[in-house]
Amino acid sequence: ATTVGNYALFGGGFFNSVYQSVVDAYNKSLTRSTPTALSIGRTELSATTIGDYALFAGGRSNTSTYRDTVDAYNGSLTRSTPTALSTAMNNMAATTVGNYALFGGGYEGFSGWEAFLNAYNRSLTRSTPTVLSQGRYNLAATTVGNYALFGGGYSGSFSSVVDAYNTSLTRTNPTSLSRGRMNLEASTVGDYAIFAGGQTSSISGYVSVVDAYNTSLTRTILTGLTAARAVLASASLGDYALFGGGLASTSSNDKKVDVYDKNLTHTVVTDLSQGRYNLAATTVGNYALFGGGYSGSTYQSVVDAYMID
């Protein structure tokens, strides 16, 4: 999921053994429409927005076919297909800094975890800046101040590495995460980039740890999530970053929504209407939206909207 203009877009996914190409768009009044579908149905793709374009990149369209496809939607929801990624990959992380949309890391079936970084400018021209310092997938990314941060992931072990790119796409490496983990989630509120949750083993091993980086890339460890969980989703709304859903040790924890304000104060708000993981989240107008996901037995179409009172 990502947002362009007046629309929140949810694209791709997997349902009933079919790799989906459908895109659902919600306007500021939460009215849904279905623009032109993705050019290829796929799951485990990544999305971010640059200028007038929402980009959906990479993914997997069966158990062994990885995609380099990039679909772009403008503010009128017209689709185009920019230059493909440098390598076909899934499970990348994506964020935007300055004049660039960045897609980093990922998994490629033949070589395994990758360190590639693909950058798209506002004209959707692709470049390939300095790669990540460590190849990995199932990492998380967000932007704070003048830095895009890529943190965590899996590289044969559970990574704590954080790569920071400035608006000129020069890479540095700030203090590592307090705990190496994959399937974590990242969002930004005020002057802080927040990395929350994740897992430290391939089976269970969910964690509640939360790390924050300020605009100078100084790290702080925050109050943890209410429940340890992985493959959750996040969205920023006003002075709040929301982290919702996820895979947890008990089904009751799959519904939790943890909130951090711009001062890093932690609160908990009303649960999601349906516990689920591998969901997606973004913001449009006055709403943070959490859509789709898997409840352990059923693929979900539900969308929960949160607004500031």
Side-chain angles (χ1 to χ4, degrees):
T2 193
T3 297
V4 63
N6 295 318
Y7 296 95
L9 304 182
F10 294 81
F14 184 80
F15 173 64
N16 281 354
S17 301
V18 176
Y19 294 83
Q20 299 290 325
S21 61
V22 66
V23 176
D24 290 287
Y26 292 85
N27 65 18
K28 292 182 178 181
S29 300
L30 303 187
T31 302
R32 193 195 72 197
S33 59
T34 51
T36 303
L38 299 173
S39 57
I40 298 174
R42 55 205 196 269
T43 189
E44 297 166 357
L45 66 169
S46 302
T48 191
T49 296
I50 179 67
D52 296 326
Y53 296 97
L55 304 182
F56 292 85
R60 178 172 59 85
S61 57
N62 62 45
T63 55
S64 60
T65 302
Y66 300 87
R67 295 294 183 181
D68 59 6
T69 306
V70 179
D71 291 291
Y73 291 82
N74 65 17
S76 300
L77 303 186
T78 301
R79 193 199 76 197
S80 58
T81 51
T83 303
L85 298 171
S86 58
T87 301
M89 285 177 288
N90 69 330
N91 287 325
M92 300 177 291
T95 190
T96 298
V97 63
N99 293 315
Y100 297 96
L102 305 182
F103 295 87
Y107 186 85
E108 194 272 325
F110 297 102
S111 303
W113 40 89
E114 299 288 1
F116 291 113
L117 185 73
N118 286 264
Y120 290 83
N121 66 16
R122 291 173 181 265
S123 300
L124 302 186
T125 301
R126 193 201 76 195
S127 58
T128 50
T130 303
V131 298
L132 300 176
S133 62
Q134 180 186 54
R136 55 205 197 271
Y137 66 99
N138 283 335
L139 64 167
T142 193
T143 297
V144 62
N146 293 320
Y147 295 97
L149 304 183
F150 292 81
Y154 186 77
S155 60
S157 59
F158 296 89
S159 178
S160 63
V161 171
V162 177
D163 291 292
Y165 291 84
N166 66 16
T167 55
S168 299
L169 302 187
T170 301
R171 194 197 76 201
T172 56
N173 291 98
T175 303
S176 296
L177 297 171
S178 59
R179 187 164 185 179
R181 56 209 197 263
M182 69 175 187
N183 286 329
L184 67 169
E185 183 59 28
S187 191
T188 296
V189 60
D191 293 330
Y192 296 95
I194 299 175
F195 291 83
Q199 63 189 108
T200 57
S201 68
S202 56
I203 301 175
S204 187
Y206 312 122
V207 298
S208 61
V209 64
V210 179
D211 295 290
Y213 292 82
N214 66 15
T215 54
S216 299
L217 303 186
T218 301
R219 192 198 73 195
T220 305
I221 301 174
L222 307 187
T223 302
L225 300 173
T226 306
R229 55 199 198 274
V231 285
L232 60 165
S234 68
S236 294
L237 181 65
D239 292 334
Y240 302 92
L242 293 79
F243 294 84
L247 185 60
S249 56
T250 65
S251 58
S252 62
N253 290 334
D254 295 348
K255 295 182 177 182
K256 297 297 183 185
V257 179
D258 290 88
V259 177
Y260 295 85
D261 69 15
K262 65 179 182 179
N263 299 315
L264 304 183
T265 301
H266 172 242
T267 57
V268 181
V269 295
T270 305
D271 287 353
L272 296 173
S273 60
Q274 172 65 57
R276 55 209 197 269
Y277 60 94
N278 275 334
L279 67 168
T282 191
T283 302
V284 63
N286 296 320
Y287 298 96
L289 305 182
F290 291 81
Y294 187 65
S295 64
S297 59
T298 305
Y299 296 95
Q300 298 292 329
S301 61
V302 65
V303 179
D304 291 293
Y306 290 83
M307 64 180 297
I308 299 171
D309 291 334

